[in-house]
Amino acid sequence: MTSIEIQLNEKIRQAFESAGVPTEHAAVTVSDRPELADYQCNGAMAAARPMKMSPREIAARVAEVFDGGDLCDPLETAGPGFLNIRLKDTALARCASDMARDAQLGVAPAVHPQRIILDYGGPNVAKPLHIGHLRSAIIGESVKRILRYAGHEVVGDIHMGDWGYQMGLIIESLRETGFPPFSLADLERIYPEASARAKEDDAFRERALAATHALQNGDPAYRAVWRQIMDLSVADLKRNYSRLNVDFDWWKGESDVQDLIEPMVEKMKADGYAYLDDGALIVDVSEEDDKKEIPPCMILKSDGSALYATTDLATLLDRRDWHPDKVVYIVDKRQGLHFTQVFRCAKKTGVSPEETELDFRGFGTMNGPDGQPYKTREGGVMRLSALIDEINSYMVDRVRENETVAAEDAEETARIIGLAALKYGDLSNQASKDYVFSLERFASSDGNTGPYLLYTIVRIKSILDKYDGVCGTDMNAPGTPSERELMLSLVRFPDAFADAADQMAPHKVCAYLYDLANHFNGFYRDVKILAEPDPDRKAGYIALLKLTLRVLEQGIDLLGFEAPDRM
Ligand code: ARG
């Protein structure tokens, strides 16, 4: 299926060409005056200067030769030289019906499918997951689903922080007490204790650093303890991520690239990129036109131990085996400098081949009402599990109050709605921006929220349940303005999706779905669907509802959540 915008662009391009207007200006956009037009083209304005003609005159010429075929009405010129486009009602019904017959809802597969590695999640093993990790998981999962729907081959790699100082802290604490057997609960206690102690107790810190070093250099006893810590932690991580509907294809971590570090470093030295500076091994990554100074990328500390950048570089080496076209990192934007250094170093030293694109997508922080990163009531770091529990208990109360689901389903329904509230609340903001977390606002069933979309879905399902006539895919030309708006919103899905996929922007999917849900609810208020006496009209309404439901359900799946049957 060719999307509406692609079809319109082609028609406009032909008209520009026949009117002798440079075709680079022949592009349509969604109209910003929906009461006047469905789409518009502003190209006459842009062409005015090079053509030394008034935009109105150019617009008139284009309108004169424009052939909308059975897709749209003759162009209307407006204002200083806008071209307004209105789709024919029959075309709308035809496009929507075609979409309803298409397994991909009109989304065409990528012309150049890419192999993409998505680095997201990034939890640190044996440290509690906190809300910074939450954003990476939520955004990354959605970007993964969007890219896959667009036809790319994507692997999600969790890239665990499993090789650092926190491991040395835990191992040293266990060593002191004679390596007793330990549980996950023990680990959750040991890490914060050891971390606090190391800040005061220099000797302990030194021993923990030495333990880290020994672990990284293959000490078999430490390696065995590390394995036990990993087994417990990874099982726990899997539980946590599955509560979030987040899953990874690769459960790799920093530890997996340990063996690649030494040869990589040797090569960087031999090639003359890495050199000693004050005992540390560094690679210069500054560039001539840098506005602010970019400090060198540090490869080894003076004690010879590897750093965060070292494992990220070795990981890029490891990832070459999969031949990615692109590696995308969904990480807190405060790590921007780190990634600038790593990317430059990787390209300069040949760790990452020239043709592989490295793309850092930094996200902002989730803040509390005070505008500071979200904290617990006591002012501590908010644990992810605590946050999810808080949301779930809030939602269970709401669901019980409403009494719309059976008592035994209340918890599961609350979990589903809570996840939608949380994820939509996050994803509806442009990822790079900070946002304020507000449970009341996110969980509200009206307004631009996840639960609002779920209500809309549940409403459609319940109408469809009550209908017992034939169910087809054919829609009739719209009979009312609200039906027309709904249909128009539906046929825009492929173009809105393409834009979101191009920019890896879940917030654009959110904005589209919110608009669609509003149009559906407008139609629902206006039209008595099941009371429609004409069976043919009624069947058309049902087809329209089914398509709306499919797009909404596909849309929320792209965002990483689902809808309950009732709520
Ligand atoms: N573990 C890191 C953190 O908690 C995030 C890892 C991000 N990915 C990466 N390749 N560096 O900050």
Side-chain angles (χ1 to χ4, degrees):
M1 262 185 83
T2 312
S3 81
I4 297 275
E5 267 180 46
I6 294 177
Q7 293 181 53
L8 286 175
N9 274 328
E10 179 52 22
K11 290 195 181 300
I12 285 280
R13 195 194 59 75
Q14 282 169 8
F16 270 55
E17 199 170 76
S18 340
V21 183
T23 53
E24 74 246 41
H25 306 300
V28 306
T29 53
V30 168
S31 165
D32 39 50
R33 300 282 301 276
E35 68 285 9
L36 297 181
D38 301 333
Y39 291 86
Q40 66 189 56
C41 170
N42 304 344
M45 256 83 82
R49 191 183 280 257
M51 291 184 71
K52 299 199 177 69
M53 269 170 77
S54 88
R56 274 165 178 273
E57 212 173 314
I58 298 173
R61 280 203 194 176
V62 172
E64 174 141 352
V65 296
F66 180 80
D67 176 13
D70 55 7
L71 184 64
C72 50
D73 294 340
L75 292 182
E76 281 188 10
T77 57
F82 296 116
L83 287 161
N84 281 339
I85 304 167
R86 187 181 154 93
L87 299 173
K88 286 193 192 302
D89 288 355
T90 46
L92 265 178
R94 190 180 60 241
C95 289
S97 307
D98 286 346
M99 209 174 133
R101 277 187 290 271
D102 187 280
Q104 284 277 102
L105 292 166
V107 171
V111 187
H112 303 290
Q114 289 194 309
R115 289 168 72 88
I116 302 171
I117 295 178
L118 209 59
D119 181 314
Y120 71 106
N124 298 315
V125 171
K127 287 200 209 172
L129 283 176
H130 58 73
I131 49 171
H133 296 116
L134 178 68
R135 288 214 78 192
S136 178
I138 292 179
I139 299 165
E141 182 67 23
S142 178
V143 169
K144 181 182 76 182
R145 293 170 182 222
I146 291 172
L147 291 173
R148 282 197 180 144
Y149 198 70
H152 301 291
E153 192 181 346
V154 189
V155 294
D157 183 3
I158 188 167
H159 196 75
M160 289 179 281
D162 60 357
W163 205 228
Y165 176 49
Q166 85 265 32
M167 292 298 188
L169 284 168
I170 296 171
I171 291 174
E172 177 53 21
S173 301
L174 290 167
R175 192 195 61 81
E176 282 182 338
T177 49
F179 290 118
F182 54 88
S183 65
L184 188 68
D186 295 328
L187 286 180
E188 286 183 352
R189 181 178 45 78
I190 295 172
Y191 171 72
E193 277 173 15
S195 156
R197 182 174 157 202
K199 291 195 181 103
E200 253 113 65
D201 182 343
D202 289 345
F204 177 71
R205 188 180 57 246
E206 288 306 320
R207 292 202 302 279
L209 283 168
T212 313
H213 197 77
L215 169 70
Q216 295 186 348
N217 288 286
D219 181 299
Y222 285 7
R223 206 54 215 221
V225 182
W226 174 85
R227 190 68 264 163
Q228 289 176 32
I229 303 175
M230 285 296 285
D231 290 345
L232 287 173
S233 301
V234 170
D236 184 50
L237 285 174
K238 289 194 170 163
R239 272 191 300 277
N240 270 302
Y241 284 111
S242 86
R243 283 178 88 184
L244 287 171
N245 270 6
V246 170
D247 82 314
F248 299 92
D249 306 288
W250 291 352
W251 280 80
K252 294 197 175 197
E254 296 173 348
S255 63
D256 286 295
V257 297
Q258 176 63 21
D259 294 344
L260 301 177
I261 291 179
E262 203 186 287
M264 176 183 83
V265 172
E266 286 314 313
K267 185 164 188 316
M268 284 180 183
K269 284 202 269 191
D271 292 345
Y273 294 120
Y275 65 93
L276 282 174
D277 180 70
D278 241 349
L281 192 70
I282 62 173
V283 173
D284 284 327
V285 293
S286 65
E287 285 169 10
E288 227 167 77
D289 34 353
D290 284 343
K291 299 250 163 8
K292 65 177 193 328
E293 197 189 313
I294 305 293
C297 187
M298 217 200 268
I299 309 294
L300 293 178
K301 283 201 279 196
S302 46
D303 67 1
S305 53
L307 298 111
Y308 189 38
T310 326
T311 46
D312 264 328
L313 287 162
T315 301
L316 276 171
L317 215 47
D318 187 42
R319 287 174 176 165
R320 289 179 76 153
D321 292 349
W322 196 72
H323 302 289
D325 294 302
K326 184 147 111 174
V327 185
V328 182
Y329 296 78
I330 312 278
V331 184
D332 192 314
K333 69 180 175 197
R334 289 169 293 187
Q335 294 193 25
L337 176 61
H338 164 77
F339 283 100
T340 303
Q341 292 171 308
V342 166
F343 292 177
R344 285 185 181 186
C345 182
K347 291 298 175 198
K348 179 174 178 177
T349 60
V351 157
S352 172
E354 222 170 290
E355 62 275 14
T356 303
E357 185 189 342
L358 303 177
D359 190 353
F360 169 68
R361 296 293 174 122
F363 54 78
T365 46
M366 169 172 147
N367 291 335
D370 58 353
Q372 297 297 314
Y374 198 76
K375 301 223 171 52
T376 59
R377 237 163 263 147
E378 294 72 41
V381 176
M382 187 72 176
R383 287 203 182 192
L384 185 56
S385 50
L387 180 74
I388 297 177
D389 290 343
E390 185 182 321
I391 296 172
N392 285 350
S393 83
Y394 179 90
M395 281 325 309
V396 168
D397 292 347
R398 297 289 90 74
V399 171
R400 293 221 166 98
E401 270 165 32
N402 287 345
E403 293 181 347
T404 43
V405 298
E408 67 268 25
D409 296 333
E411 296 228 348
E412 177 60 7
T413 306
R415 190 193 68 80
I416 296 175
I417 306 173
L419 194 60
L422 174 67
K423 288 195 166 188
Y424 191 92
D426 188 300
L427 294 171
S428 52
N429 301 285
Q430 195 178 327
S432 59
K433 301 218 166 103
D434 298 345
Y435 74 97
V436 174
F437 175 83
S438 154
L439 191 46
E440 280 85 302
R441 187 160 53 82
F442 290 3
S444 162
S445 53
D446 44 43
N448 188 6
T449 69
Y452 172 66
L453 295 183
L454 301 191
Y455 267 107
T456 307
I457 288 174
V458 167
R459 172 172 283 164
I460 300 176
K461 283 186 184 172
S462 95
I463 303 171
L464 291 175
D465 278 348
K466 291 189 197 111
Y467 174 75
D468 52 11
V470 280
C471 261
T473 49
D474 281 344
M475 279 158 251
N476 301 306
T480 64
S482 63
E483 186 181 6
R484 187 177 193 282
E485 278 166 26
L486 174 57
M487 239 181 236
L488 182 60
S489 180
L490 283 166
V491 301
R492 280 178 177 160
F493 173 66
D495 290 313
F497 172 78
D499 185 35
D502 266 0
Q503 301 185 31
M504 295 192 265
H507 74 278
K508 297 207 162 186
V509 175
C510 293
Y512 170 79
L513 293 175
Y514 180 51
D515 190 62
L516 176 61
N518 283 337
H519 287 305
F520 171 76
N521 287 312
F523 170 70
Y524 173 78
R525 272 190 300 273
D526 246 33
V527 177
K528 298 280 156 287
I529 300 164
L530 292 173
E532 169 61 44
D534 175 352
D536 182 50
R537 272 231 84 79
K538 191 160 153 183
Y541 288 160
I542 295 297
L544 183 61
L545 258 62
K546 277 186 19 189
L547 179 61
T548 308
L549 179 63
R550 268 182 72 202
V551 174
L552 286 171
E553 286 191 317
Q554 179 62 58
I556 64 171
D557 184 66
L558 294 172
L559 299 177
F561 58 89
E562 59 201 1
D565 287 323
R566 302 173 61 88
M567 62 191 276

